[in-house]
Amino acid sequence: MTPTPPGTRTGKDPATDATGTRASRKLTERNWVGGSFAWIWLIVVMVPLYWLVITSFKTQANYFVTNPLKPPSEFTFENYQLVIENDFVRYFVNSVVVTVGAVLPATLISFMAAYAVVRGATSRFLRWVNGVFLMGLAIPLQAVVIPVYLIIIKMELYNTLQAIILPSIAFAIPLSVLVLANFIRDVPKELFESMRMDGATEWGTMWRLAFPLTRPALVTVVIYNGVLIWNGYLLPLILTQSPEKATIPLALASFQTQFGVNVPAVAASVTLTTVPIVLLYAIGRRQLVSGLTAGFSK
Amino acid sequence: MTTLAPPAVRGQEPTRSRGGRSGSVLVWMVLPAFVMFVFFGIVPLLGVVLLSFATWNGITPTIQLTGLTSWKAALTNPGLVNALWVTFLIMALSWLVQTPLSILLGTFMARQSRYRGFLAVFYFIPLLLSSAAIAITYKSLLDPNFGLGAGLGIEALNQDWLGQANLAIATLIFVVSWQFIPFHSLIYQGAVRQIPQSMYEAAQIDGAGRVRQFLNITLPQLKYTIITSSTLMVVGSLTFFDLIWVLTAGGPGDATRALAVQMYQLGFQASLMGPASAIAVILVLVGIGLSLLLRRLGGRADESQMEGV
């Protein structure tokens, strides 16, 4: 709400326009409603996560007697050992196969579609296709799982990892096309023109011009879909059956039944499944956040 | 898309002809995604309508068209009214809780720069966790015997959060907000940054205070974003399945049995795929109806999105 341009670093950059900076600093400091809420929200977000991590290092006996928010007096890795011994690695590999197997093709074909939709904005067919994709944003996966289940059975893919991969690709398409098309649309028309003057084909233009320029959006789409598919629960639940094909979210639910009141072991299983995705986030954070903001705020 | 245009015409109108040729290339480019989406998105959408007029147990290959039988079964199922009510309640309450808080957080994060980066890193984490992970965490955390309330000895916190109907709904709304407020505040953060600074400068010269500026500039400028965010929120809340399923499995009783849960139980547990499909159709209709309603409220929201503002 302060009149600070987005790029300005209030407080760190006194050299810029004196009056503007002074005014904005004053206002920034007075925004205590938003400020205090932001800190309260940080606590709300962090307490369950903190609890999860410290609990995962407690022994079961220790867990029942200590203050739940106090770190363990002695750390134990027993819980992690227990989870890993219970086929965690297999579930992890399944999740990696499903996620990579769905995200890469989904991103590739969505990029091609987004390019076509932007470049062919005058074609009635492509406008119609784009309309179908946009409509797809409103189709909840939950509503169509029964026919998807039927199709997968008919394709004789039930209880395979492909059964999860194929619908995951399809349901990643609408949003990916939307986000990527928004980025490609921002590429100056002159660049396309000059590529054409140089005799580049549409495929060449797509790979050599649009692809590098869209890279930030592509990374965003990869991370976004990756998180979504990695965390998917419904498709694995209805399309697979045997524990050998379980992905991590399904495995979590079964760990919970298996470990029951052994809360530290449950906490360790949740922590263990969360670490890879948080690491990924740590690497691609800036990209993901800026890409998402741009993709949705328009 | 005339690929066989006579040479003479091509010579006369080079632009159009070239547009036509590259047009067919573009069709090839869009095709993989389109076919994939039609096969696993549109066909199932039509399929679910068809299945709602059929009888199928989900196991044997026999699917019989039985007209309105499944619809009758779905509509006369006493659980349906409850499921609709629960779905509406979750939708309305989570919107009411999430929207103001997301706008507040988003507006704050858009302007504050000293703490923003630091806070944003942590705000985002709930979005990375699977609903199953979140549900399991909260289930243990809120356990009346061994959870946070019991452990800390704070009487007010020591409730059977998931065991009583009203508390279970409230807990669910809290967990949903915990998971999604970061996402929506991010959307608002981006939108607030796009508001031209000149508007605030002009308002300041006119002597408008911060509250006036927020009410008269920020909120109206966020109109389309509120529509986008609300659409995602409302349509998204129709699809809460994993969270509810792992957290409460629809209970206690049927207190949190929303439409998606009801559909799963009817179809995949009671083997009544027909009535379950009818509920899925209701789910789609409610979803599309709400999206259209929100778009209508937003006026030209769709167009502004197409132009990239």
Side-chain angles (χ1 to χ4, degrees), chain A residues 152-167:
Chain A
I152 290 296
I153 289 181
K154 292 278 180 211
M155 291 173 79
E156 297 184 358
L157 288 175
Y158 182 74
N159 202 26
T160 62
L161 293 181
Q162 296 95 292
I164 312 171
I165 291 174
L166 291 174

Side-chain angles (χ1 to χ4, degrees), chain A residues 1-6 8-10 23 27-31 33-35 37-39 41-42 44-49 51-52 63-64 67-69 109-110 112-113 115-117 119-120 123 125-126 128-130 132-136 138-140 142-155 166-167 169-171 173-174 178 182 185 196 202-203 206 227 231 233-234 237-238 249 252-253 256 261 263 266 270 274 277-278 281 285 288-289 292-293 296-298, chain B residues 1 15 18 22-23 25-30 32-34 36-37 39-45 47-48 51 56 58 61 63 101 104-105 107-108 111-115 117-130 132-133 136-141 146-148 151-152 174 177-178 181-183 186-187 189-191 193-194 197 200-201 204 210 213-214 218 225 228 232 235 239 241-242 245-246 260 263-264 268 273 276-277 280 283-284 288 291 305-306 308-309:
Chain A
M1 268 170 284
T2 61
T4 317
T8 310
R9 291 204 196 103
T10 318
L27 289 174
T28 303
E29 279 165 8
R30 234 193 291 153
N31 190 2
V33 181
F37 176 63
W39 286 99
W41 191 253
L42 181 71
V44 171
V45 166
M46 290 316 288
V47 164
L49 299 174
W51 175 86
L52 194 64
Y63 171 72
F64 287 123
N67 179 329
L69 291 182
I109 64 178
S110 298
M112 283 163 49
Y115 178 85
V117 159
R119 293 286 288 153
S123 145
F125 174 73
L126 288 168
W128 177 77
V129 168
N130 192 32
V132 172
F133 287 146
L134 286 176
M135 196 185 78
I139 304 177
Q142 277 72 2
V144 296
V145 286
I146 296 175
V148 166
Y149 168 74
L150 179 61
I151 291 173
I152 290 296
I153 289 181
K154 292 278 180 211
M155 291 173 79
L166 291 174
I169 293 175
F171 278 88
I173 289 170
L178 177 71
N182 272 343
R185 215 168 269 131
R196 209 183 63 183
E202 211 53 80
W203 287 99
M206 180 173 81
V227 171
N231 288 334
Y233 184 80
L234 185 63
L237 179 68
I238 63 159
L252 273 183
Q256 205 211 4
V261 289
V263 178
V266 173
V270 177
T274 307
I277 209 96
V278 172
Y281 168 64
R285 189 182 74 83
L288 177 68
V289 173
L292 271 186
T293 340
F296 281 108
S297 304
K298 284 186 173 176
Chain B
M1 262 155 288
T15 352
R18 193 171 286 150
S22 71
V25 175
L26 294 176
V27 169
W28 282 110
M29 290 175 175
V30 88
F34 187 61
M36 199 62 193
F37 181 66
F39 195 68
F40 285 103
I42 304 295
V43 168
L45 191 63
V48 80
L51 278 174
W56 180 40
I63 301 173
L101 296 183
L104 188 64
L105 261 187
T107 313
F108 172 76
R111 302 298 168 191
Q112 238 308 353
S113 43
R114 238 171 308 166
Y115 312 113
F118 169 75
L119 292 173
V121 173
F122 295 102
Y123 285 161
F124 206 83
I125 295 177
L127 279 172
L128 304 169
L129 276 59
S130 67
I136 288 170
T137 304
Y138 272 98
K139 229 171 138 178
S140 313
L141 195 59
F146 310 116
L148 197 57
L152 290 177
F174 176 81
S177 308
W178 187 86
I181 281 181
F183 174 72
L186 210 66
I187 298 181
Q189 179 191 340
R193 286 205 185 137
Q194 286 174 7
Q197 286 308 309
Y200 291 107
E201 281 155 22
Q204 257 185 343
R210 295 173 51 76
Q213 284 184 32
F214 178 75
T218 312
T225 315
T228 310
L232 292 170
V235 177
T239 67
F241 169 77
D242 359 6
W245 188 244
V246 180
M263 182 202 78
Y264 177 78
F268 293 93
M273 289 295 188
S277 299
L283 208 60
V284 176
I288 291 176
S291 315
Q305 183 161 53
M306 301 300 281
V309 184

Side-chain angles (χ1 to χ4, degrees), chain A residues 119 185 187-194:
Chain A
R119 293 286 288 153
R185 215 168 269 131
V187 175
K189 294 231 171 8
E190 296 75 31
L191 291 178
F192 287 115
E193 282 300 312
S194 61

Side-chain angles (χ1 to χ4, degrees), chain B residues 160-171:
Chain B
D160 190 3
W161 292 103
L162 297 169
Q164 295 170 45
N166 287 338
L167 277 182
I169 285 271
T171 307

